[in-house]
């Protein structure tokens, strides 16, 4: 077996189409030539009569390790080169053999002109090997995540901005690898640690990663747990085998492993099987154990099917760790609440803001930075402090809020009850809670770390201006006057 690359002239707008035609011609030529009497297929490819795989400019050719078969393949490539002008790049090609030694191997090298390669080798960006992949083989996966994080470290990003990058970019990068390999726990932990340190930018993490992987409705940030996501993506591979999907890989699995019409549910792995197949069987057995029987497991798989395809998100929902739904997340996370304000309110709701009463291990002076004299806690800072009390009174009078609030939990409960509906006033009240908590926390941090004193009037002005801009953007006719 060897893989190589071909290329076309750059800049030609017809190159993709011409390339497709050329690869189709090569594929048909190989099919005709490998049907000759002198050609012998690879032992694991004979039933499917599989001699090659092509994707873009990556070409993988497979044959039994004998001179006549290799000669037929090389003759096909030379004939293709004479007719199309495209030749294999020998510098980017490698010859991989198993059980071929001595003079026969020397003859193959002379016949092909291709150097002998060593596994694992990269194909479509991922390593392929005849044995179990070691941890260092996953280095490209970890390095890609590290590259993204290093490129963002110099940027001034809020916690909400970092969380969005993790959710939309980093966990999207993970998906390709997780859908192909059973990724070892050590690699998953390494990637998780990179994401966790990038989010908090410090060694102390206020909220555990397990909690952040919960949906927002359960108090988390909606991150994916990578191990559970890996199982969900691989469960789709088993589902494809179960459904006998018309793909080359599924047909190959049925020919090699599920012989004599053995069901995928009765399939037993042996020690020589690949780690991927062992993981698929383990996922199948896990579902059967939870559901209680094979028939119940089949029904569970059927419930994940939408439009003839398995919905991976439903599988993830089934496998993931769950907690009870909370009443307050709907008041924190709204499309019109500024993300960094919502993130601060989320930390406050989870009682994870680093107020001084939670930093006693650092032996810091515990008096409130805004009013001085009282011990700083979340309840005192946001509702009992002289500064925050004056800010809240101005905002309540402005929005016509008569109810007093004494804790973050009571404020969230009040917002959920009193700010119902989609009117401008209701939206303004939801925005006001998150915005006010954020600016009070910001005023406290500026006083401690920058020595800047925030005035009540200027803080209230910032909050009002922010609320007015959002409400006016959502509905210019809303009855909220600045």
């Amino acid at each position: 077996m060897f893989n190589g690359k071909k290329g076309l002239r750059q800049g030609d707008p017809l190159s993709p189409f011409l390339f497709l035609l050329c690869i189709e011609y090569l594929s048909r030529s190989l099919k005709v030539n490998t049907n000759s009497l002198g050609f012998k297929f690879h032992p694991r490819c004979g039933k499917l009569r599989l001699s090659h795989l092509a994707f873009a400019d990556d070409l993988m050719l497979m044959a039994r390790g004998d001179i006549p078969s290799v000669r037929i393949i090389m003759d096909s490539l030379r004939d293709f080169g004479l007719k199309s002008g495209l030749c294999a790049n020998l510098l980017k090609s490698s010859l991989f053999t198993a059980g071929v030694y001595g003079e026969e191997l020397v003859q193959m090298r002379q016949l092909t002109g291709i150097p002998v390669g060593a596994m694992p080798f990269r194909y479509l960006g991922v390593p392929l090997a005849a044995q179990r992949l070691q941890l260092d083989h996953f280095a490209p996966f970890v390095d890609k995540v590290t590259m993204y994080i290093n490129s963002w470290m110099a940027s001034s990003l809020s916690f909400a901005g970092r969380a969005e990058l993790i959710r939309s970019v980093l966990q999207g990068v993970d998906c390709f690898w997780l859908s192909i390999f059973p990724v070892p726990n050590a690699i998953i932990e390494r990637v998780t640690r990179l994401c966790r340190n990038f989010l908090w930018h410090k060694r102390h993490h206020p909220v555990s990663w397990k909690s952040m992987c919960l949906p927002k409705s359960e108090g988390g940030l909606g991150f994916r747990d990578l191990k559970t996501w890996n199982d969900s993506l691989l469960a789709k591979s088993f589902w494809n085998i179960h459904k006998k999907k018309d793909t080359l890989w599924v047909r190959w699995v049925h020919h090699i492993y599920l012989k004599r019409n053995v069901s995928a549910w009765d399939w037993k792995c042996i020690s020589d099987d690949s780690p991927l197949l062992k993981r698929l069987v383990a996922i199948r057995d896990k579902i059967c154990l939870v559901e209680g029987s094979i028939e119940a497991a089949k029904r569970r798989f059927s419930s994940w099917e939408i439009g003839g395809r398995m919905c991976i998100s439903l599988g993830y929902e089934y496998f993931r760790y769950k907690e009870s739904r909370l009443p307050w997340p709907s008041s924190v996370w709204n499309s019109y609440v500024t993300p960094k304000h919502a993130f601060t309110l989320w930390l406050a709701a989870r009682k994870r803001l680093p107020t001084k009463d939670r930093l006693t291990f650092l032996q810091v002076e515990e008096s409130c930075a805004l009013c001085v004299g009282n011990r700083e806690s979340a309840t005192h800072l946001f509702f009992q402090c002289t500064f925050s009390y004056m800010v809240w009174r101005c905002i309540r009078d402005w929005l016509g809020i008569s109810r007093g609030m004494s804790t973050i939990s009571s404020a969230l409960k009040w917002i959920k009850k009193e700010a119902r509906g989609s009117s401008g006033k209701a939206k303004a009240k939801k925005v006001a809670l998150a915005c006010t908590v954020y600016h009070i926390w910001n005023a406290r941090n500026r006083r401690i770390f920058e020595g800047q004193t925030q005035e009540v009037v200027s803080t209230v002005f910032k909050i009002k201006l922010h609320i007015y801009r959002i409400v006016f953007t959502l509905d210019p006719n809303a009855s909220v006057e600045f």
Side-chain angles (χ1 to χ4, degrees), residues 230-451:
N230 192 197
D231 286 343
S232 305
L233 291 167
L234 294 180
K236 184 175 181 179
S237 297
F238 180 81
W239 181 86
N240 289 335
I241 296 173
H242 162 62
K243 288 290 186 177
K244 296 183 178 180
K245 286 291 181 179
D246 188 20
T247 64
L248 179 61
W249 183 75
V250 171
R251 293 202 304 270
W252 183 82
V253 169
H254 276 274
H255 277 292
I256 300 301
Y257 295 98
L258 303 180
K259 301 174 182 178
R260 300 176 184 176
N261 295 322
V262 175
S263 170
W265 298 93
D266 299 324
W267 175 20
K268 301 295 183 181
C269 277
I270 60 176
S271 59
D272 291 338
D273 287 343
S274 71
L276 172 61
L277 297 175
K278 291 178 181 177
R279 183 69 167 269
L280 296 184
V281 171
I283 292 172
R284 177 202 67 186
D285 293 343
K286 179 180 178 180
I287 298 174
C288 291
L289 180 64
V290 173
E291 296 299 320
S293 67
I294 291 178
E295 293 303 318
K298 290 180 180 179
R299 289 193 295 271
R300 175 61 63 182
F301 263 104
S302 298
S303 68
W304 298 341
E305 185 176 346
I306 298 178
R309 301 179 64 183
M310 175 183 161
C311 181
I312 299 173
S313 60
L314 294 177
Y316 179 80
E317 184 66 21
Y318 177 81
F319 289 115
R320 75 170 178 86
Y321 168 74
K322 299 177 180 64
E323 288 191 0
S324 57
R325 295 174 66 91
L326 299 174
W328 52 262
S330 59
S331 301
V332 173
W333 306 106
N334 285 289
S335 58
Y336 43 83
V337 175
T338 303
K340 63 181 180 180
H341 297 177
F343 194 95
T344 302
L345 182 57
W346 172 75
L347 281 175
R350 291 192 63 96
K351 300 179 181 179
R352 288 296 182 269
L353 282 176
T355 50
K356 291 181 179 180
D357 64 324
R358 300 186 65 246
L359 301 176
T360 53
F361 62 93
L362 294 178
Q363 299 181 348
V364 296
E365 198 273 321
E366 297 184 27
S367 63
C368 177
L370 296 179
C371 64
V372 184
N374 295 288
R375 186 169 183 262
E376 182 186 272
S377 64
T379 299
H380 170 80
L381 177 65
F382 292 112
F383 299 101
Q384 297 174 359
C385 172
T386 304
F387 177 87
S388 59
Y389 177 80
M390 295 294 294
V391 171
W392 277 117
R393 189 175 70 177
C394 293
I395 298 301
R396 289 203 307 269
D397 292 344
W398 179 52
L399 294 177
I401 301 173
S402 57
R403 185 183 297 267
M405 294 171 283
S406 57
T407 62
I408 291 292
S409 59
S410 65
L412 288 168
K413 185 182 295 185
W414 173 85
I415 283 292
K416 186 174 180 64
K417 181 178 179 180
E418 300 295 334
R420 295 174 180 173
S422 58
S423 65
K425 206 65 173 287
K427 293 177 180 178
K429 292 177 181 179
K430 292 179 181 179
V431 174
L433 176 60
C435 187
T436 304
V437 167
Y438 171 80
H439 279 284
I440 291 175
W441 181 249
N442 189 50
R444 176 258 191 197
N445 289 338
R446 287 183 178 274
R447 176 74 66 87
I448 293 176
F449 300 111
E450 300 177 14

